[in-house]
Amino acid sequence: MVFRRLLGSLGVGGPTVDTVLEPGAARPGGALTGQVHLRGGDADFEIEHITLELVARVEAEHGEGESEGTVAFERFTVGGGFRLGAGRQHSVPFTVTLPWETPVTELYGQHLGIVLGVRTELAVAGAKDKGDLDRLDVAPLPAQEAILEAFGRLGFGFRSADLEYGRIGGTGQQLPFYQELELTPAPQYAHQVNEIEVTFLAGPGGIEVVLEADKRGGLFSGGHDALTRFTVGHHDSRDWNTEVDGWVRQLVEHRTAYGAHGHGDHHEDHRRSGPGMGTVVAAGAAGLAVGVVGGMVAAEVVDEVGDFFEGDEEDEG
C-alpha cells in the first residue's frame, strides 16, 4: 500500500518520492529492506538527505479519557548528497535494522489491528517534506510465536491488541510505548481472571515476557490486577505448554502486582479500540489462530490501516 504526494513545501513541479518495501513481513530486530524511488520535478534539485521514520498508532491515557496519536520511534538516514535532474529517475536501495521492541502486527498472516508505518522524509534545498507513507508488517520472533502457540493450546483466545504509551516499571523497555496482546482466559482459569495481557520486550539477549491478569473479585473483595514477568532466550527449547501454564498459575495466585505500567486501570477501555475489536481466536492444535466475526476480514483490516494513514497525511498537510 503506497501513498504518493507532491512535495508540498516546494509546490507543483517539485520531485516526488515513492518508497517500496520488500514483500513479506519483517521481524523485530531484523532487517527492513526496500528502495526509495525519486522522480525529478520541473528543475534540478539538490537532495540533501532521505530519511526513513518508523511510526506507530499509539493509545494514550489522560485523566478519565483516552486518545490515539502517531508516535515516531526510530529514524534512519538512507541517502542524500546528490543532484536530482529535472524529470530524471533515481533509486536508493536501503537495508535498516528494526528495533527489537518493534510491535508485532500479524499472527499466522492475519492482521491484529496494530498500525505501523514507514514514513519517507525528503530534504531538498533547505525544505523538508514527509512525502510517502507505507504500511509496515511485522511477524513475531520464533520465541514469541512459540509462547503464543502455547497459550492457544492451553485454551486461551485472542481478544485484541493495542499499543499503549508509557513504560512498564522494572523492565528494560526501550521504546516510549509497549504492545499488549489481550487474551480471553482458558476454561480452567475463567473463574479466576477476566483476561490476560501479554507484552513482549525483546532485546539482543532475549525476551522479557510481561503477563498481567485482570482478576475477578470474590463475594467480599473487588477485582484487581496482578503482574509478573519472565525472561526467555531467543533460541530456548522448552516444553512451552508446561512453561506457559506455570507462568499463568503463578500469575493468578498473586495477590499484589510486582510492577506497575505507570498508568491507571485501562482494561475496559482497551476492548473498544482498533480494528481488532470483536476479533476472536479459535484455540486449537495450531495455537492462537485469528478468527473473525461480524464480517471483519483481513482485507477490511488492511483498508482501515490505509484509511488511518491517509487521514494522518491530510492532518499534517
Side-chain angles (χ1 to χ4, degrees), residues 231-305:
T231 301
V232 302
H234 287 296
H235 306 291
D236 282 5
S237 178
R238 308 187 188 187
D239 179 347
W240 288 111
N241 286 14
T242 301
E243 187 83 13
V244 170
D245 192 52
W247 294 350
V248 175
R249 290 181 184 277
Q250 181 176 332
L251 177 66
V252 299
E253 289 171 0
H254 287 174
R255 293 297 176 227
T256 58
Y258 280 135
H261 282 294
H263 52 68
D265 184 59
H266 55 274
H267 303 285
E268 294 303 321
D269 290 339
H270 278 193
R271 299 172 195 175
R272 297 198 305 264
S273 62
M277 180 178 63
T279 302
V280 296
V281 157
L288 294 178
V290 178
V292 294
V293 295
M296 175 67 76
V297 297
E300 290 172 340
V301 174
V302 172
D303 287 342
E304 290 196 26
V305 172

Side-chain angles (χ1 to χ4, degrees), residues 122-163:
L122 203 60
V124 182
K128 294 181 181 179
D129 195 272
K130 302 179 190 299
D132 192 37
L133 184 58
D134 300 270
R135 195 184 81 228
L136 173 60
D137 296 324
V138 181
L141 293 165
Q144 294 172 334
E145 188 169 296
I147 291 168
L148 293 175
E149 283 184 356
F151 272 108
R153 292 191 183 99
L154 291 169
F156 290 83
F158 177 83
R159 173 172 281 148
S160 65
D162 56 21
L163 304 181

